[in-house]
Amino acid sequence: METATRRQALKRIAAASALIVTPRVGQTADYSNLATDKFLGKVKELAVVEDSKVFTEGPAWGNNALYFTNVHAEKILKWDGRQLSVYRENSNKANGMHFDAQGNLWACEGGAGRVTRTDWKTGKITVMADKFNGFPLAAPNDLCFDFKQRCFFSSRPGVDDPTQGNVNAVYRLDPDGTLYQVLAWPEIHMPNGLVTSPDGKRLFLIEAHPDAEHHRDIRSYDITADGKLINEKIVIDFYPGRSGDGMAIDAKGNLYVAAGLHATRKTSETLDTKPGIHVISPKGKILAFRETPEDTITNCTFGGKNRKTLFVTCGTKLLEIPTRIPGKPIR
């Protein structure tokens, strides 16, 4: 497992004291001249989650069903097209999830500070990552895979001082089990949802820090053959509104982003970002938008027949939206 050098740690401490804020050079949110009907159908409510605590997240389509999490109740739920059931209890506050090409379910278990893989045939749960640089991981949040089946995952909230613990970061987990920290505080502020392009060679990352003068945008990076992230670009800037949370990507490379609020929530986030699903081109233009009915919209994924249904977790509700373009194939 790769560890950060003392020099790197000291450099990040110094940078953190100055707080790096990347200049806003990407597109800003613009809702004019949208062609929503060319991308999205109407929003439909599939189910309402009833529990003592409800915060839905992490939708993932696999093995002909939709799985998603109720983070606060520590449950993974299953929607089979007809009814809602509990797939797993005691999920360690699982958040983002993703099915790999073999049909196994990967989960970011934020409460346990680990990323796990559940073998679909046996049900065996394997811990894939739980520490870096001698410290436990800050709560893993979301994950995706690239063209070499390397897993990238976001981790937050961490500490500011890398000599005291792990900071907010993005990691790369290679198939041989080696873990690398590829992006970290203060170059990035609060990493959240992430996806790779249809060819698996470009990473898109949501930055979603609720404090003033911090990143609230989507960034893109080219993934090199050896797994480095280079050529950072700001695709779209949601500041001062609420940034995206989770997102999905279609077969043509457009992003489907869960973002915005109906009402403020005691942060510096404004209502400039509308609450719902934003379809955004790879160059940062908002192409389409559908409002969702309840705070807080958190995430979405493609699934269903021909991967032309967008499943959305939104407050207590599971929603679906038909799409004109299918989601990218599972990688």
Side-chain angles (χ1 to χ4, degrees):
M1 182 177 294
E2 184 180 279
T3 60
T5 66
R6 177 175 175 79
R7 182 179 297 175
Q8 289 171 324
L10 292 174
K11 180 180 178 182
R12 282 175 175 162
I13 292 172
S17 66
L19 184 58
I20 295 174
V21 179
T22 305
R24 297 187 173 102
V25 295
Q27 297 274 356
T28 55
D30 179 3
Y31 295 89
S32 61
N33 301 316
L34 301 185
T36 298
D37 290 344
K38 292 183 179 180
F39 293 89
L40 299 170
K42 301 300 183 182
V43 178
K44 177 182 178 182
E45 180 181 303
L46 295 179
V48 177
V49 178
E50 297 180 357
D51 212 319
S52 57
K53 300 177 180 179
V54 179
F55 186 79
T56 56
E57 249 287 5
W61 177 268
N63 302 298
N64 297 312
L66 188 281
Y67 297 79
F68 65 106
T69 60
N70 182 355
V71 178
H72 296 332
E74 302 197 37
K75 295 177 182 177
I76 297 176
L77 306 175
K78 176 183 177 180
W79 171 258
D80 65 2
R82 300 183 303 278
Q83 62 182 6
L84 196 61
S85 61
V86 177
Y87 171 69
R88 180 186 299 161
E89 305 228 28
N90 303 315
S91 67
N92 295 313
K93 295 185 177 180
N95 194 319
M97 301 191 297
H98 193 91
F99 279 92
D100 64 23
Q102 290 72 46
N104 302 312
L105 180 61
W106 291 58
C108 291
E109 298 184 6
R114 66 186 194 177
V115 175
T116 62
R117 182 187 65 200
T118 300
D119 185 284
W120 188 250
K121 294 180 180 179
T122 67
K124 180 182 178 181
I125 299 174
T126 301
V127 177
M128 307 303 293
D130 62 357
K131 62 178 67 72
F132 179 80
N133 209 24
F135 297 109
L137 291 173
N141 183 269
D142 204 358
L143 74 162
C144 64
F145 292 86
D146 76 351
F147 64 107
K148 288 192 173 182
Q149 288 300 301
R150 295 172 296 210
C151 176
F152 288 84
F153 66 90
S154 54
S155 174
R156 35 65 68 90
V159 301
D160 290 347
D161 181 350
T163 67
Q164 301 299 312
N166 281 311
V167 298
N168 291 349
V170 172
Y171 295 89
R172 188 189 81 234
L173 177 64
D174 288 357
D176 66 3
T178 307
L179 185 65
Y180 299 90
Q181 192 180 79
V182 291
L183 297 171
W185 166 269
E187 290 83 9
I188 58 170
H189 293 174
M190 189 67 78
N192 205 316
L194 65 176
V195 296
T196 54
S197 57
D199 65 2
K201 295 183 178 182
R202 192 179 184 194
L203 180 81
F204 294 90
L205 171 69
I206 292 174
E207 281 263 67
H209 204 297
D211 293 348
E213 298 306 322
H214 287 69
H215 300 166
R216 288 183 210 147
D217 51 43
I218 297 177
R219 296 166 182 244
S220 70
Y221 305 83
D222 294 331
I223 306 173
T224 65
D226 58 358
K228 293 184 176 65
L229 300 181
I230 62 173
N231 299 330
E232 178 188 74
K233 296 178 182 178
I234 297 177
V235 177
I236 188 168
D237 191 358
F238 289 106
Y239 196 91
R242 179 191 175 222
S243 186
D245 190 330
M247 60 182 164
I249 189 167
D250 69 23
K252 293 186 177 181
N254 300 305
L255 301 171
Y256 293 63
V257 184
L261 292 168
H262 286 276
T264 55
R265 55 179 187 177
K266 298 181 180 180
T267 69
S268 72
E269 298 160 311
T270 69
L271 303 183
D272 288 71
T273 309
K274 294 183 179 182
I277 294 296
H278 302 67
V279 181
I280 301 171
S281 76
K283 294 184 177 181
K285 177 178 173 55
I286 298 179
L287 304 172
F289 171 78
R290 285 282 187 232
E291 184 171 339
T292 48
E294 179 177 318
D295 283 337
T296 303
I297 180 172
T298 56
N299 214 332
C300 57
T301 194
F302 283 93
K305 186 177 181 181
N306 299 322
R307 301 187 66 79
K308 294 181 75 172
T309 298
L310 192 73
F311 294 96
V312 182
T313 48
C314 177
T316 63
K317 302 178 186 298
L318 175 65
L319 311 172
E320 72 170 13
I321 306 175
T323 65
R324 309 297 182 189
I325 304 171
K328 79 166 191 179
I330 291 178
R331 183 177 295 280

